[in-house]
Amino acid sequence: MRYINLFSLAFVALATCLGCSGGKPDGIPNLAKTQVTVVKGGTPVADANVFLVPDLGSASGSWSVAGKTDAQGVAIIKTSQGDWSAPGAPEGSYKIYLTKFTQIEEPEMPANIDEDEEAKAAYYAEREKRLKEAGNEIPAKMNQADTSGLTISVAGDLTELTIDVDEAK
């Protein structure tokens, strides 16, 4: 019986703490559901990072507005500040930029790479070849808000945008 009471007390304490863990931080405006789909020639781009940067005149502050695409190329945009995060973006106009890091299987490094210049050159040539073959699904100009040319205006119940990185070159 005593263990049940201690368990109940611990459960109530945990539930209370979880229930009172922060609401929306002060200063963050109301959020509108926002999703961005990223495709390359119509094929979904998975694991791309989508960042929204407020234009002049739009709400901005110490929060970030971003998302990561899933296997279908869809990023549900979230606004976050510190440990707090919620789906949606503050209403306003944004510049968008995209990033995606390419991973490759590294070639086997020769044991004598520091002594053998030919082995070193062959290793780095193979590594460069693998990186080029993997390619970057996101064109370099889209990796910065000022050069991407991508924008979105968030308003209403749901804002959706599809970006085809082949068309936006």
Side-chain angles (χ1 to χ4, degrees):
M1 182 77 152
R2 182 176 168 159
Y3 290 110
I4 294 172
N5 288 339
L6 287 175
F7 177 78
S8 298
L9 181 62
F11 179 79
V12 169
L14 178 62
T16 302
C17 288
L18 290 175
C20 63
S21 64
K24 185 168 67 170
D26 291 339
I28 294 183
N30 290 331
L31 305 178
K33 290 181 182 177
T34 306
Q35 72 180 39
V36 175
T37 303
V38 180
V39 296
K40 182 178 176 82
T43 303
V45 176
D47 299 319
N49 301 297
V50 180
F51 300 95
L52 278 62
V53 178
D55 269 347
L56 294 175
S58 292
S60 64
S62 60
W63 58 82
S64 66
V65 183
K68 186 171 189 169
T69 59
D70 60 17
Q72 289 74 44
V74 178
I76 304 299
I77 303 301
K78 296 180 181 178
T79 299
S80 59
Q81 182 181 51
D83 292 337
W84 176 87
S85 179
E91 290 190 346
S93 297
Y94 295 87
K95 293 179 183 178
I96 300 173
Y97 70 97
L98 310 170
T99 63
K100 180 175 178 179
F101 298 102
T102 303
Q103 294 194 2
I104 61 166
E105 183 177 330
E106 292 287 339
E108 186 175 335
M109 186 177 289
N112 63 345
I113 194 165
D114 291 330
E115 296 87 33
D116 186 345
E117 289 300 317
E118 191 173 307
K120 185 178 194 175
Y123 167 78
Y124 284 110
E126 177 62 23
R127 188 172 190 282
E128 183 69 24
K129 176 184 162 201
R130 291 182 186 190
L131 282 168
K132 284 182 181 176
E133 286 173 357
N136 186 353
E137 291 180 272
I138 308 296
K141 81 171 207 162
M142 292 183 188
N143 296 164
Q144 297 180 33
D146 291 335
T147 60
S148 74
L150 304 171
T151 60
I152 189 171
S153 292
V154 175
D157 292 337
L158 174 63
T159 300
E160 297 178 277
L161 175 68
T162 297
I163 299 168
D164 189 327
V165 296
D166 279 347
E167 292 177 5
K169 287 182 180 181

